[in-house]
Amino acid sequence: METYDLSQNHIVTPPEEIALSTNQLQVYYGSGSRASMTDASLSFPRFQITALIGASGSGKSTYLRSLNRMNDRIARIEGEIMYRGTNINSPKVNVYEVRKHIGMVFQKPNPFAKSISENITFALKAAGITNRQELNERVETSLKEAALWNEVKDDLNKSALALSGGQQQRLCIARALAMKPDILLLDEPASALDPISTTKLEVTLKELTKNYTIIIVTHNMQQASRISAYTAFFHLGHVIEYDQTEKIFQTPEIQATHDYVTGNFG
Amino acid sequence: MDDIQHKLTAPSKASREDVMGRIISYTCIAAIIILVISILYFITSRGVATFTANHVNLWQFLSGKEWNPGTLNASGQPQVGALPMIVTSFSVTILAALVATPFAIAVALFMTDIAPKNGAKFLQPVIELLVGIPSVVYGFIGLTVVVPFIRHLFGGTGSGILAGTIVLFVMVLPTITSLAVDALKAVPTYFRSASLALGATRFQTIYKVLLRAAMPRLLTAVIFGMARAFGEALAVQMVIGNAALMPHNLVTPTSTLTSQLTTNIGNTIMGTLPNNALWSLALILLLMSLVFNLLIRYIGKRGEIKS
Amino acid sequence: MTPNQTDRIATQVINFLVLIVVLILFFLLGDIILSGFPHISWHFLTSPSSSFSAGGGIRDQLFNSLYLLVLTLIISFPLALGSAIYLSEYAGNNWRTGLIRTAIEVLSSLPSVVVGLFGYLLFVIEFHMGFSILSGAIALTFFNLPLLVRSIEGSLHAVPDSQREAGISLGLSNWRTIRGIILPAALPGILTGIILSAGRVFGEAAALIYTAGQSAPILNYSNWNPTDSSSFLNPMRPAETLAVHIWKVNTEGVTPDAVSISAGASAVLIIVILLFNFGARAIGNHMYKKMTGGK
Ligand SMILES: Nc1ncnc2c1ncn2[C@@H]1O[C@H](COP(=O)(O)OP(=O)(O)OP(=O)(O)O)[C@@H](O)[C@H]1O
Ligand SMILES: [Mg+2]
């Protein structure tokens, strides 16, 4: 494997309104002193899709999961995560509130072992929404937003585990959307899906940019280029390049990025 | 804007819930810890009273053969020699384990390697059921079947170490078997296929590969069985005869630590020597269960390193 | 001897040993069933026991066993659940957790007679609770706790971490996630564990003879006032259970038909435990099917 100079990088700050940004984010797993993520400083534009790409083990999930403090239990995280003028990587911050604003969808669909509608209403009820009608509305809207409504509208009381993988994943997206988050983090949401479901999902995500800021990890470079406005390339725990998606895929500044997007990597 | 900043930093229902959850679960675990500590403390403090309050010599207690705590011997010392009970307890435990182990391993091999399909299907539920049969039922069968049988063969009362061993053998057999099955199942299949591929017969594979690889866990299984046998009270009490006498052969009435305890603790008065002496027997039981526990851990650790 | 001959002989030895074990099993089960069943009758199940004359039943003992079981589960389940949640959800991987696990292991390895004697010492005598159902239930709790903790922890552990992540990623507290998502998902396993432990509790005698006592006062089944001393619900009365009854009639030797009573009672005990075993399996499977939508 060719070794690249990790200190050589090219990172832009998008001119658009910024929804979320990180400043010198470092992640250490366990009690180790080796950083799995080094000095990541990125700004994510509002109401856009940003893609995170890079080889396996390059730290994409590590970075993404740090953004809504999902790594709290297993990692030590240094640096700033700025959201609405607050550094949400501070121990004083209420992580539950953070996660309501910054939702997450995982690589493997993980619906609860409950009915389809309960999957969506469970967290809403916990958040204090008890009005039956409002709950029903939220179920319907979020399922529509996730492009699942037509397929399940007659089976809302059926177990979510009886859905297909692709449907389960869209249900997970609906579940996250029902919380009306500001930002949606997706970690390889399409990796378990067939091409048709993947296309559906991509269309859905594009639609969602009307109301949501989306950050998505993907291994599929076509997917990244199809749906995202900005793309960040990760390598060995470093952000190597961050720019508009077109630039990353057509005229990258850094050799490593070039090699990766053209398939000559490693 | 400010509203959101406030929300992000203020405690919410969720953070309060979490504090409550921690308090609840920490309390439960603390209760268990306190319980364990108090069991150890109470039994120990009672058990040592024989030596501290009644000034019985520890060595005499462990090696004396006369158990008659209510009376003094010729030299004016109380007769609290626990050796008969200790010897009997160890005898029945070791004999039961010795007899049960080959059967248990044979059944386990049968279920995992010789007839994994049909054998396991039939034997598994039966063994589970046998593990669940209450010890008084084993004791009752021992009393109505085993004891008369021994009486018929050897004369006397029929109670004694032999009857105790037979009852305990049947009791620990399912325990050891089910753990031995786990031990054999834990040996990866490629161990077997590799050995068979090298031309070894099934027996060679079992003997040279399987049993060796599973040895630490098999040993643990046997020790589990021994721990169960050593601590078993009522089933043994029903067939052992309950005479606090040194056993001279396998078919005369004698007494284990547990049977002596269950028979007499209700007939003695708290705080008196006869009562304290019984608590000392309980202390031996407690210490032995700790020893079994340590052994299991020690072997478990060694087994880990090897594989 | 060639290796092949050795192989054949060894296989035969193993088969022979298995055969003996199977014969023992058949003998045991056959003995319990054949000698016990003829004694089970409506009269046997519904009349009170009598110590000195033949023809006594096991009504009160059977009820005591069930009542004691219920009380034990009421006390031990919440404690075990809380502890299992601690171990599976909160405990870090450190020496403190190791110590806690060791303590629980020690508790589970204590002979039940020692646990019973501790209950006798502390509750019956020190706390002046006397021989009572409550003392018995507490002693059985000690005996039951480690197993229950282990089985509940196992069931919680079997719920994939992705479910926890799903919960907290929605802004739920850990506690809410555990209560609302992990516990329901683990419920089939937890129930199975409880029912299996119920079987053990039901048959336990050694921990009871000096806590719940060995006498069965005549109960008044129409008195629903638990504070009244003759009420069947009174938790402070002594209560001989079925298992203790079997032990007692056999060791005291004053009941003329001790053998047939014990045989009948043993069969009842085994039947109840069998029912628990089957029930555990059936309920576990049923709930699992229901939750996964038949998939
Ligand atoms: N829970 C963990 N504990 C310790 N190290 C971890 C953990 N999760 C990830 N790592 C390490 O952090 C580094 C980055 O892993 P990460 O999962 O972020 O990669 P990734 O880019 O998401 O890879 P993939 O494309 O395979 O999902 C890897 O070296 C990995 O070993
Ligand atoms: Mg990843």
Side-chain angles (χ1 to χ4, degrees):
Chain A
M1 180 166 160
E2 202 176 325
T3 46
Y4 299 99
D5 181 2
L6 295 173
S7 64
Q8 198 192 355
N9 55 18
H10 169 78
I11 292 165
V12 300
T13 305
E16 293 99 328
E17 185 190 346
I18 298 301
L20 182 75
S21 65
T22 63
N23 193 7
Q24 308 254 310
L25 203 70
Q26 314 243 28
V27 184
Y28 305 86
Y29 277 112
S31 53
S33 57
R34 202 181 62 85
S36 291
M37 188 78 243
T38 312
D39 284 349
S41 306
L42 294 173
S43 305
F44 301 99
R46 193 136 197 242
F47 298 148
Q48 302 278 13
I49 298 179
T50 304
L52 312 183
I53 63 171
S56 192
S58 57
K60 307 177 298 291
S61 301
T62 300
Y63 179 76
L64 192 78
R65 290 166 54 90
S66 303
L67 295 181
N68 70 342
R69 306 271 305 261
M70 289 295 291
N71 269 344
D72 270 18
R73 261 180 155 210
I74 46 175
R76 186 161 55 82
I77 299 156
E78 289 171 2
E80 275 185 339
I81 305 171
M82 294 305 295
Y83 172 67
R84 302 262 195 144
T86 306
N87 174 16
I88 55 172
N89 187 33
S90 136
K92 278 183 302 208
V93 158
N94 181 336
V95 291
Y96 310 110
E97 215 48 47
V98 167
R99 293 178 193 139
K100 277 187 203 162
H101 288 87
I102 308 179
M104 185 160 212
V105 175
F106 301 84
Q107 177 170 355
K108 255 183 70 197
N110 53 1
F112 303 138
K114 298 174 185 293
S115 75
I116 294 174
S117 68
E118 276 173 317
N119 256 275
I120 294 173
T121 55
F122 183 75
L124 294 174
K125 285 182 192 156
I129 300 173
T130 47
N131 183 316
R132 198 62 249 169
Q133 198 187 341
E134 176 166 9
L135 287 173
N136 289 341
E137 263 170 33
R138 289 249 195 147
V139 170
E140 183 171 344
T141 350
S142 61
L143 283 173
K144 278 182 177 156
E145 281 182 320
L148 188 60
W149 176 251
N150 287 331
E151 290 157 62
V152 301
K153 61 171 182 266
D154 299 323
D155 303 318
L156 292 179
N157 292 321
K158 257 179 53 180
S159 168
L161 301 184
L163 295 174
S164 78
Q167 290 173 321
Q168 288 186 0
Q169 190 63 303
R170 276 177 284 147
L171 176 63
C172 292
I173 294 177
R175 184 174 67 186
L177 294 177
M179 297 302 291
K180 301 216 169 130
D182 206 12
I183 300 173
L184 198 56
L185 309 175
L186 302 121
D187 194 350
E188 298 182 50
S191 68
L193 306 188
D194 64 89
I196 296 173
S197 307
T198 305
T199 315
K200 271 193 191 162
L201 183 70
E202 286 177 13
V203 175
T204 309
L205 292 181
K206 278 258 185 189
E207 279 292 308
L208 288 176
T209 52
K210 281 183 199 140
N211 300 309
Y212 301 93
T213 303
I214 293 176
I215 305 173
I216 179 172
V217 171
T218 176
H219 273 287
N220 180 333
M221 281 184 273
Q222 283 80 26
Q223 186 173 62
S225 63
R226 274 196 302 266
I227 61 175
S228 68
Y230 282 82
T231 296
F233 170 61
F234 284 66
H235 181 50
L236 295 179
H238 291 256
V239 185
I240 302 295
E241 186 156 5
Y242 179 51
D243 210 329
Q244 290 181 338
T245 299
E246 269 167 41
K247 276 220 61 187
I248 294 285
F249 282 97
Q250 281 158 18
T251 53
E253 304 270 331
I254 311 285
Q255 186 63 35
T257 318
H258 176 83
D259 291 353
Y260 186 73
V261 298
T262 53
N264 294 322
F265 196 68
Chain B
M1 259 326 220
D2 272 345
D3 183 39
I4 286 197
Q5 283 183 348
H6 175 75
K7 262 194 174 164
L8 284 173
T9 46
S12 63
K13 193 168 141 228
S15 35
R16 283 190 296 274
E17 271 172 8
D18 234 17
V19 173
M20 194 183 66
R22 270 176 196 273
I23 292 176
I24 292 175
S25 64
Y26 282 44
T27 312
C28 290
I29 203 80
I32 294 193
I33 302 301
I34 292 172
L35 165 68
V36 175
I37 293 173
S38 36
I39 292 186
L40 298 182
Y41 170 77
F42 273 97
I43 304 277
T44 309
S45 68
R46 279 280 155 189
V48 297
T50 314
F51 313 109
T52 55
N54 305 102
H55 305 292
V56 170
N57 179 301
L58 174 63
W59 179 244
Q60 271 174 11
F61 177 78
L62 292 176
S63 65
K65 294 178 187 166
E66 305 296 327
W67 178 267
N68 218 335
T71 54
L72 303 180
N73 64 9
S75 53
Q77 286 282 319
Q79 298 181 318
V80 280
L83 192 63
M85 276 76 78
I86 297 175
V87 169
T88 309
S89 274
F90 275 99
S91 308
V92 289
T93 301
I94 292 170
L95 287 175
L98 277 181
V99 185
T101 303
F103 286 97
I105 290 181
V107 174
L109 281 172
F110 190 79
M111 286 168 66
T112 56
D113 285 84
I114 293 181
K117 281 238 172 68
N118 300 325
K121 204 188 276 169
F122 165 69
L123 288 170
Q124 184 77 34
V126 182
I127 284 174
E128 270 167 30
L129 170 67
L130 285 181
V131 174
I133 290 186
S135 55
V136 283
V137 174
Y138 282 114
F140 168 63
I141 296 176
L143 192 63
T144 50
V145 179
V146 178
V147 172
F149 184 67
I150 294 175
R151 191 187 306 141
H152 181 76
L153 281 186
F154 298 99
T157 62
S159 316
I161 290 183
L162 182 58
T165 301
I166 294 175
V167 168
L168 285 177
F169 152 68
V170 181
M171 285 187 72
V172 299
L173 182 61
T175 311
I176 303 183
T177 306
S178 66
L179 289 170
V181 169
D182 294 345
L184 293 176
K185 275 191 184 152
V187 179
T189 346
Y190 63 80
F191 272 49
R192 299 177 170 89
S193 37
S195 164
L196 291 172
L198 289 173
T201 62
R202 182 163 65 190
F203 176 68
Q204 284 170 329
T205 305
I206 286 174
Y207 186 70
K208 293 230 168 80
V209 179
L210 209 51
L211 290 186
R212 278 208 191 150
M215 192 44 85
R217 290 190 64 175
L218 288 175
L219 263 181
T220 321
V222 175
I223 295 175
F224 257 111
M226 289 175 67
R228 181 165 183 207
F230 199 84
E232 175 50 44
L234 300 188
V236 178
Q237 196 253 8
M238 288 163 89
V239 299
I240 200 83
N242 301 310
L245 302 171
M246 202 63 189
H248 292 294
N249 56 43
L250 298 184
V251 291
T252 49
T254 169
S255 186
T256 61
L257 295 164
T258 51
S259 77
Q260 192 57 230
L261 264 173
T262 34
T263 315
N264 291 316
I265 196 105
N267 309 329
T268 54
I269 297 154
M270 262 304 158
T272 61
L273 173 65
N275 186 268
N276 288 343
L278 289 173
W279 286 106
S280 301
L281 299 185
L283 182 58
I284 298 181
L285 278 176
L286 180 104
L287 293 178
M288 273 314 293
S289 83
L290 294 181
V291 169
F292 285 126
N293 212 313
L294 281 179
L295 269 178
I296 289 168
R297 283 183 158 239
Y298 176 73
I299 295 172
K301 280 235 175 71
R302 297 244 322 214
E304 260 168 39
I305 296 163
K306 242 174 76 182
S307 60
Chain C
M1 222 168 17
T2 67
N4 276 329
Q5 279 171 323
T6 325
D7 186 50
R8 222 169 305 134
I9 293 171
T11 309
Q12 267 158 17
V13 170
I14 291 178
N15 288 344
F16 177 68
L17 292 177
V18 173
L19 183 73
I20 293 182
V21 171
V22 171
L23 287 178
I24 295 176
L25 301 185
F26 273 119
F27 170 76
L28 265 179
L29 294 178
D31 185 67
I32 296 169
I33 291 170
L34 292 182
S35 65
F37 266 27
H39 299 291
I40 302 180
S41 63
W42 187 244
H43 172 82
F44 182 64
L45 293 176
T46 57
S47 35
S49 61
S50 58
S51 297
F52 301 102
S53 60
I58 55 167
R59 178 189 72 187
D60 300 335
Q61 284 77 11
L62 190 55
F63 174 76
N64 285 342
S65 289
L66 292 170
Y67 190 29
L68 197 59
L69 171 63
V70 171
L71 268 187
T72 303
L73 289 181
I74 288 176
I75 305 174
S76 55
F77 175 62
L79 260 178
L81 183 65
S83 306
I85 288 178
Y86 172 84
L87 286 172
S88 108
E89 312 292 326
Y90 289 112
N93 194 0
N94 51 30
W95 64 269
R96 223 180 326 140
T97 312
L99 209 64
I100 292 173
R101 286 189 192 283
T102 308
I104 294 178
E105 237 165 71
V106 166
L107 186 57
S108 83
S109 68
L110 289 180
S112 59
V113 52
V114 171
V115 175
L117 286 176
F118 167 73
Y120 170 63
L121 193 59
L122 194 62
F123 296 95
V124 176
I125 294 180
E126 296 276 335
F127 294 170
H128 301 291
M129 284 161 59
F131 291 129
S132 62
I133 295 205
L134 195 57
S135 303
I138 295 173
L140 284 183
T141 293
F142 299 161
F143 156 90
N144 196 22
L145 265 179
L147 278 133
L148 210 48
V149 169
R150 207 177 299 158
S151 85
I152 298 178
E153 192 197 345
S155 312
L156 292 175
H157 213 79
V159 179
D161 265 344
S162 64
Q163 293 284 309
R164 294 177 179 82
E165 295 200 319
I168 62 169
S169 77
L170 293 167
L172 298 174
S173 63
N174 287 327
W175 182 242
R176 187 86 183 200
T177 308
I178 294 165
R179 248 184 40 203
I181 294 161
I182 309 302
L183 273 187
L187 203 55
I190 292 179
L191 268 185
T192 311
I194 292 177
I195 300 175
L196 288 178
S197 85
R200 268 176 40 108
V201 167
F202 198 78
E204 174 58 32
L208 287 178
I209 51 181
Y210 291 114
T211 51
Q214 306 166 33
S215 59
I218 298 294
L219 300 178
N220 178 351
Y221 287 90
S222 54
N223 184 342
W224 287 78
N225 177 4
T227 56
D228 196 301
S229 65
S230 74
S231 164
F232 68 111
L233 288 176
N234 184 347
M236 300 313 290
R237 63 181 168 84
E240 182 195 35
T241 65
L242 206 50
V244 173
H245 190 58
I246 297 176
W247 174 74
K248 207 182 71 174
V249 294
N250 277 299
T251 42
E252 281 189 340
V254 291
T255 316
D257 55 348
V259 170
S260 50
I261 288 180
S262 312
S266 296
V268 171
L269 213 51
I270 300 289
I271 292 171
V272 174
I273 289 170
L274 266 181
L275 287 179
F276 280 138
N277 275 320
F278 286 128
R281 230 168 269 216
I283 288 184
N285 287 344
H286 173 75
M287 295 204 22
Y288 182 78
K289 280 221 184 83
K290 210 171 127 195
M291 265 175 29
T292 53
K295 222 165 76 163

